[in-house]
């Protein structure tokens, strides 16, 4: 007699139970970025944006942080929680935007711009954060730039977020030639078509989108801002211009609303490298670990702390 394979849903439930059991044994917290697969979000203790998650992890009474996201996010958790073990379930989950700036490149550019402060987006390596004066998120980038005394600011690595900041400030924002390839899939013509198809909808896009897309949006928001808009906004339908993984979160937050992705192609292949199996293996093997050399960590932490001091 041939054995029948268990239905996929049963296998998922078993996997989930094993993860939750091992999580207790290891005294671990599981964090999932808003762009993670739905089943990974559902097994996490916290779902959110990278900095919000790292701050939650720093405040939690745990020994292990399993970061379901990409490499710079796990590094940020390691910067804020140096005594904890930080696991990234797939070591290949990187961020092509963060890779657009290396520490050497930042040092070289800063040498060309004496006296000009450098603000780096949180989507950068720890080594790049260590080379910059302040870090920022997509939610506070304009405020961070405005907080500086100088009239010129080097902003890296995302040129689209930098251009958005430029539209919000009288300071001169010197851009870096980097971009998120995933957000380039949000196209102005798709927004125009979706507006015609959903006349009741409002459009919210992430500031990593290109300026022509941003010009068509009703709201330009970080992922945290999108979650708030889903909960509190009046529109019954929202067209969403960011990575499609966030739709899972938005639908849970506001089950009565309709969320339409600006394109089905806005999928970050790196975010999708984390699976439930890899989360389990990471907890079983206690690796892959992400660490940051202490000399870099201390300087990178300074750039994050100076951001947190901005009101
Ligand atoms: Fe990096 Fe873009 Fe993927 Fe976010 S969506 S992790 S910025 S490549």
């Amino acid at each position: 007699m041939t054995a029948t394979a268990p239905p996929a849903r049963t296998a998922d439930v078993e996997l989930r139970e094993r993860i939750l059991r091992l999580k207790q044994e290891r005294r671990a917290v599981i964090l999932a970025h808003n762009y993670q697969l739905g089943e990974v979000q559902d097994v996490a203790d916290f779902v959110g944006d990278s900095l919000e998650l790292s701050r939650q992890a720093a405040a939690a009474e745990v020994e292990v942080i399993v970061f379901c996201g990409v490499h710079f996010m796990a590094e940020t958790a390691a910067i804020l929680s140096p005594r904890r073990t930080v696991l990234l379930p797939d070591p290949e989950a990187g961020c092509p935007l963060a890779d657009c700036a290396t520490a050497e490149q930042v040092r070289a550019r800063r040498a060309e711009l004496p006296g000009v402060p450098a603000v780096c987006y949180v989507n950068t390596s720890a080594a790049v954060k260590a080379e910059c004066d302040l870090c920022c998120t997509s939610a506070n980038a304009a405020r961070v730039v405005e907080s500086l005394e100088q009239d010129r600011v080097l902003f890296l690595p995302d040129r689209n977020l930098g251009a958005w900041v430029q539209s919000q400030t009288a300071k001169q924002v010197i851009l870096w030639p980097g971009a998120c390839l995933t957000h380039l899939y949000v196209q102005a013509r798709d927004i125009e078509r979706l507006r015609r198809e959903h006349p009741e909808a409002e459009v919210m896009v992430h500031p990593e989108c290109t300026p022509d897309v941003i010009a068509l949006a009703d709201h330009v928001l970080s992922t945290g801002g999108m979650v708030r808009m889903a909960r509190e906004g009046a529109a019954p339908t929202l067209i969403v211009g960011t990575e499609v993984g966030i739709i899972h979160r938005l639908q849970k937050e506001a089950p009565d609303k309709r969320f339409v992705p600006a394109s089905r192609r806005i999928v970050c292949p790196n975010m999708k490298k984390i699976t439930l199996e890899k989360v389990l293996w990471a907890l079983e093997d206690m690796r892959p670990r992400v660490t940051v050399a202490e000399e870099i960590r201390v300087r990178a932490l300074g750039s994050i702390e100076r951001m947190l001091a901005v009101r």
Side-chain angles (χ1 to χ4, degrees):
M1 197 166 68
T2 321
T4 321
R9 280 196 59 75
T10 310
D12 273 2
V13 170
E14 269 176 33
L15 200 50
R16 204 185 135 87
E17 282 170 0
R18 286 170 68 192
I19 289 170
L20 295 177
R21 228 178 7 248
L22 206 47
K23 185 186 81 165
Q24 299 273 337
E25 284 171 34
R26 300 282 196 217
R27 299 200 63 235
V29 65
I30 301 177
L31 310 177
H33 189 269
N34 289 317
Y35 297 161
Q36 287 290 294
L37 292 168
E39 61 264 31
V40 173
Q41 292 188 31
D42 291 345
V43 86
D45 297 287
F46 301 108
V47 181
D49 63 38
S50 54
L51 191 69
E52 179 187 340
L53 290 174
S54 291
R55 292 179 76 184
Q56 269 160 337
E61 298 271 317
V62 294
E63 286 170 18
V64 178
I65 297 168
V66 183
F67 211 120
C68 303
V70 295
H71 192 266
F72 79 83
M73 298 178 182
E75 272 195 334
T76 306
I79 292 167
L80 293 176
S81 297
R83 277 182 283 283
R84 294 183 176 132
T85 301
V86 178
L87 305 173
L88 177 65
D90 187 325
E92 300 297 316
C95 170
L97 170 59
D99 293 343
C100 289
T102 65
E104 293 70 30
Q105 289 167 337
V106 175
R107 275 198 296 275
R109 186 71 179 115
R110 295 203 69 179
E112 295 168 356
L113 298 165
V116 174
V119 172
C120 62
Y121 188 24
V122 68
N123 295 36
T124 44
S125 67
V128 166
K129 287 184 180 76
E131 296 297 331
C132 293
D133 298 287
L134 279 97
C135 183
C136 74
T137 67
S138 54
N140 66 15
R143 227 172 335 124
V144 166
V145 167
E146 273 292 303
S147 75
L148 295 162
E149 280 174 17
Q150 294 86 342
D151 293 332
R152 298 169 78 210
V153 178
L154 174 62
F155 188 91
L156 59 110
D158 188 86
R159 64 169 185 253
N160 293 321
L161 176 59
W164 166 245
V165 171
Q166 180 64 89
S167 73
Q168 311 288 302
T169 177
K171 293 182 191 289
Q172 184 194 351
V173 180
I174 302 166
L175 301 179
W176 189 274
C180 164
L181 303 179
T182 298
H183 281 85
L184 296 186
Y185 279 118
V186 187
Q187 299 266 301
R189 62 171 180 270
D190 292 326
I191 302 281
E192 286 163 348
R193 175 179 52 78
L194 288 167
R195 268 204 192 278
R196 285 194 299 276
E197 289 173 10
H198 304 278
E200 78 292 2
E202 289 181 4
V203 176
M204 58 181 183
V205 304
H206 194 276
E208 285 171 31
C209 292
T210 51
D212 58 334
V213 167
I214 286 178
L216 293 173
D218 298 300
H219 312 282
V220 183
L221 297 169
S222 63
T223 56
M226 289 184 183
V227 170
R228 274 191 300 282
M229 179 62 65
R231 275 196 218 120
E232 296 160 18
T237 305
L238 283 157
I239 294 165
V240 183
T242 195
E243 215 277 351
V244 294
I246 199 171
I247 304 274
H248 182 82
R249 169 95 195 267
L250 298 177
Q251 205 65 74
K252 273 176 120 172
E253 296 281 346
D256 297 335
K257 290 188 181 161
R258 183 161 182 218
F259 301 98
V260 181
S263 162
R264 293 270 165 206
R265 297 171 73 196
I266 319 169
V267 178
C268 174
N270 283 284
M271 284 284 180
K272 286 357 188 205
K273 284 181 179 161
I274 311 292
T275 61
L276 281 184
E277 285 84 355
K278 289 179 190 172
V279 174
L280 178 66
W281 298 336
L283 279 164
E284 282 176 346
D285 301 342
M286 290 295 281
R287 64 187 174 87
R289 293 187 186 202
V290 172
T291 55
V292 178
E294 187 60 10
E295 182 268 330
I296 290 177
R297 188 192 75 78
V298 169
R299 289 193 293 133
L301 180 63
S303 132
I304 294 173
E305 284 178 339
R306 285 188 288 278
M307 167 189 75
L308 296 176
V310 173
R311 292 282 157 227

